[in-house]
Amino acid sequence: MPKMNKANQSQGMLLFKLNMNQHSFAIGTLKVREIVPYSPTTQIPYSHPHVIGTVSIRGLTVPVIDMPAAIGFRPIQKEEFDSCFLIVTDCLRTVVAFMVRSIEKIIECDWKTIEPSPKSAGSNVFVTGITRYEERIIQMLDVELLLSKIYPSNDSANIPILTDVERERLKALNILVVDDSSIARKQLADALHSTSISFQMRNNGIEALQVLREEAQLGRPIDILVSDIEMPGLDGYELAFETQSDSTLRHAYIILHTSLSSEICVNRAQQVGAHEALEKFNAGDLIKAMLRGAKQLSDTTPLNNTMQ
């Protein structure tokens, strides 16, 4: 295992198959709690058609999602169930088990080599990145988008009502938001638009770092950086580390925004210089964090970093 610096995320990539051909799919291992063989499920009345039931795993009742069906492939047939596996994930504050046809292996991954999904693929495609392993193409799945299709939620109720002073304080700031998930970008944009806050948005860390440098050169450095953690090319930890390591950029108040459990990411976020780490997705939490950033930026004596 290569030595990790503070900015690197200690995770690999879980490879699995969703159909009977040679296509391989993957998710980052930090989203994975465990992998278990299929066990009989208990059906849930009126559940989503791709939720085949629930299983009990270590005392927790977990919904089981037919992942191939959820992303548009042939559903797993009942006679196939016994040969399938369940990938138990913890993402977006939700524990679910994705049923897949087979598990391949866990591999080490240089996340810088992952290419973003081509824009020509459309906005609702479930593939968030593409990489290669042993001359095969590996497709990284957007778990956030998949879950949002099965468990749609209305986040508008979580958006706080801002006072005129708070709104103007945020409107005066140069805000950059970066996330590789299309559903996360929409949620972030909706939350900020609803409060009349202007911002720039990018879908990967490399482009975000370029924006940070360009804005600094123009004399209007980014004030608040809201970044996902898991991204192809340059992840959120590395983006935060690069920002804090550059004297022209470290002015930014950094909020890492992640679908991973906060217990996993808070310590590493502190190491790379992020000010806060929030779990996706709660618009109220995000706006409040941005207000804390605005306050710190306005203070003559910087506050100590605070982790939520």
Side-chain angles (χ1 to χ4, degrees):
M1 187 81 174
K3 183 178 180 180
M4 300 289 182
N5 64 35
K6 290 183 177 181
N8 281 332
Q9 193 170 6
S10 301
Q11 75 163 327
M13 186 182 291
L14 173 64
L15 306 186
F16 51 88
K17 295 287 183 67
L18 298 181
N19 48 25
M20 303 309 294
N21 61 28
Q22 297 303 308
H23 295 159
S24 295
F25 295 85
I27 59 176
T29 54
L30 284 182
K31 286 188 172 76
V32 179
R33 291 178 60 146
E34 60 183 311
I35 302 167
V36 297
Y38 169 81
S39 59
T41 61
T42 301
Q43 289 190 328
I44 309 171
Y46 308 108
S47 62
H48 190 282
H50 299 326
V51 177
I52 66 172
T54 63
V55 293
S56 179
I57 299 176
R58 304 188 189 281
L60 183 66
T61 300
V62 180
V64 177
I65 296 171
D66 181 342
M67 182 180 266
I71 69 169
F73 290 149
R74 181 176 68 88
I76 299 175
Q77 305 302 304
K78 289 185 178 180
E79 57 268 23
E80 299 178 79
F81 284 6
D82 288 342
S83 64
C84 293
F85 290 85
L86 304 181
I87 303 173
V88 184
T89 66
D90 188 348
C91 181
L92 295 177
R93 313 185 190 197
T94 304
V95 177
V96 302
F98 289 107
M99 185 163 66
V100 301
R101 285 191 160 91
S102 65
I103 297 291
E104 292 189 77
K105 62 175 71 175
I106 292 174
I107 63 172
E108 296 181 5
C109 178
D110 181 356
W111 290 80
K112 295 184 182 68
T113 66
I114 300 177
E115 305 167 8
S117 177
K119 294 180 180 179
S120 59
S123 59
N124 288 319
V125 68
F126 291 104
V127 175
T128 188
I130 297 172
T131 190
R132 288 167 178 79
Y133 175 72
E134 294 182 347
E135 300 184 355
R136 291 182 294 148
I137 293 177
I138 308 296
Q139 301 179 71
M140 294 289 297
L141 289 182
D142 187 341
V143 178
E144 290 95 331
L145 178 59
L146 198 159
L147 287 176
S148 74
K149 299 294 185 183
I150 295 174
Y151 300 111
S153 61
N154 180 6
D155 296 298
S156 60
N158 295 324
I159 299 175
I161 298 175
L162 299 180
T163 66
D164 289 341
V165 172
E166 290 173 332
R167 183 176 292 104
E168 292 305 312
R169 179 178 294 174
L170 291 177
K171 286 174 65 175
L173 299 179
N174 195 0
I175 298 171
L176 175 61
V177 178
V178 54
D179 202 302
D180 70 316
S181 168
S182 59
I183 188 64
R185 289 196 301 274
K186 183 180 185 305
Q187 290 173 326
L188 290 162
D190 288 348
L192 297 178
H193 283 315
S194 69
T195 52
S196 301
I197 298 171
S198 60
F199 60 95
Q200 299 185 62
M201 181 169 284
R202 295 295 184 272
N203 62 10
N204 64 73
I206 294 173
E207 291 183 5
L209 185 58
Q210 182 179 348
V211 171
L212 282 158
R213 289 169 173 165
E214 289 174 351
E215 293 292 280
Q217 289 176 355
L218 293 171
R220 52 188 190 209
I222 295 296
D223 298 303
I224 293 182
L225 171 63
V226 179
S227 176
D228 184 25
I229 287 180
E230 289 188 300
M231 295 184 295
L234 190 74
D235 68 24
Y237 294 135
E238 293 171 320
L239 179 59
F241 186 77
E242 292 289 341
T243 301
Q244 288 287 22
S245 300
D246 189 328
S247 61
T248 66
L249 307 181
R250 69 168 64 115
H251 161 82
Y253 188 89
I254 304 171
I255 303 168
L256 292 184
H257 193 229
T258 177
S259 59
L260 302 172
S261 167
S262 61
E263 294 179 0
I264 296 174
C265 66
V266 165
N267 288 340
R268 193 172 295 274
Q270 288 177 323
Q271 288 179 343
V272 297
H275 299 80
E276 307 203 30
L278 304 178
E279 287 186 71
K280 295 178 181 175
F281 179 76
N282 185 296
D285 289 348
L286 177 60
I287 299 298
K288 290 173 184 175
M290 294 172 70
L291 285 169
R292 288 192 289 272
K295 182 179 186 303
Q296 174 160 320
L297 291 168
S298 68
D299 287 346
T300 54
T301 302
L303 300 177
N304 291 329
N305 290 358
T306 58
M307 305 303 300
Q308 300 300 314

